[in-house]
């Protein structure tokens, strides 16, 4: 199963990258741009999705790197 990568803010202004379902971050960064760069590379390697979250937790951007079908709504 391909685990999506999430870029999430942390207390103190730092940013973390966490795979879907993981309890802990895989890495922590000083800036969101560094975290996005790392997460994008991990998502490309895994053929998974990348989700970038705002500080309030909502999703601001999503990129797909897998070849699977687009999920349906319903």
């Amino acid at each position: 199963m391909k685990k999506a990568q999430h870029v999430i803010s942390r207390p103190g202004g730092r940013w973390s990258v966490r795979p879907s379902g993981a309890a802990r971050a895989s890495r922590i960064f000083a800036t969101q741009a560094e975290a996005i760069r790392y997460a994008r590379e991990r998502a490309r390697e895994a053929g998974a999705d990348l989700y970038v979250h705002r500080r309030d937790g909502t999703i601001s951007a999503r990129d797909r790197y897998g070849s699977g079908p687009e999920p349906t709504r319903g």
Side-chain angles (χ1 to χ4, degrees):
M1 178 176 179
K2 300 171 187 175
K3 292 191 175 187
Q5 301 292 315
H6 295 262
V7 175
I8 301 168
S9 71
R10 294 179 57 90
R14 302 179 85 184
W15 293 85
S16 66
V17 175
R18 186 168 43 185
S20 290
R24 297 178 52 187
S26 57
R27 284 191 65 181
I28 298 171
F29 298 88
T31 68
Q32 185 185 40
E34 292 172 324
I36 291 171
R37 207 171 11 254
Y38 174 80
R40 180 168 284 129
E41 187 61 33
R42 301 290 78 77
R44 282 184 179 147
E45 289 174 359
D49 294 348
L50 165 66
Y51 294 90
V52 179
H53 297 256
R54 295 180 185 95
R55 290 200 182 276
D56 67 3
T58 59
I59 296 172
S60 65
R62 175 181 169 210
D63 289 327
R64 294 183 65 91
Y65 297 103
S67 58
E70 186 71 24
T72 58
R73 296 178 187 219

